[in-house]
Amino acid sequence: MFRSREKSDLLVIMETLAIRGTLSNKQQQYLQHLQKGFAGEQAFDQMTTQLKDNFFILTDLFLQPHLSNTFQMHFKCISN
């Protein structure tokens, strides 16, 4: 992995609001969902560091094919 994964702006904002105690129950659940997702991404990143050196790893790709909707690929592993 070339760079460490960073928290999304939304996650940082939600965590800041939680510290201030201004989140509703629904917002607190959403924050927990974001935190679990981020923790899962970090765990997955840790597992992929164990891959051999002949793999090229791309993360968080946003693609928009011609005449189609944009979609995200969280992880792409390319080998030679």
Side-chain angles (χ1 to χ4, degrees), residues 8-19 22-23 31:
S8 68
D9 291 342
L10 179 58
L11 178 54
V12 171
I13 290 168
M14 294 294 288
E15 286 178 334
T16 303
L17 291 174
I19 292 169
T22 58
L23 296 181
L31 172 58

Side-chain angles (χ1 to χ4, degrees), residues 36-51:
K36 287 180 184 179
F38 182 70
E41 290 174 346
Q42 287 182 312
F44 191 78
D45 290 346
Q46 183 62 36
M47 287 188 299
T48 58
T49 60
Q50 299 172 8
L51 292 175

Side-chain angles (χ1 to χ4, degrees), residues 50-65:
Q50 299 172 8
L51 292 175
K52 297 191 185 293
D53 292 333
N54 59 344
F55 286 92
F56 186 68
I57 298 171
L58 302 172
T59 58
D60 297 326
L61 299 173
F62 288 90
L63 304 171
Q64 184 174 15

Side-chain angles (χ1 to χ4, degrees), residues 58-79:
L58 302 172
T59 58
D60 297 326
L61 299 173
F62 288 90
L63 304 171
Q64 184 174 15
H66 183 67
L67 301 175
S68 184
N69 292 332
T70 302
F71 66 96
Q72 180 182 7
M73 294 175 68
H74 292 283
F75 179 84
K76 184 71 173 174
C77 181
I78 302 170
S79 66

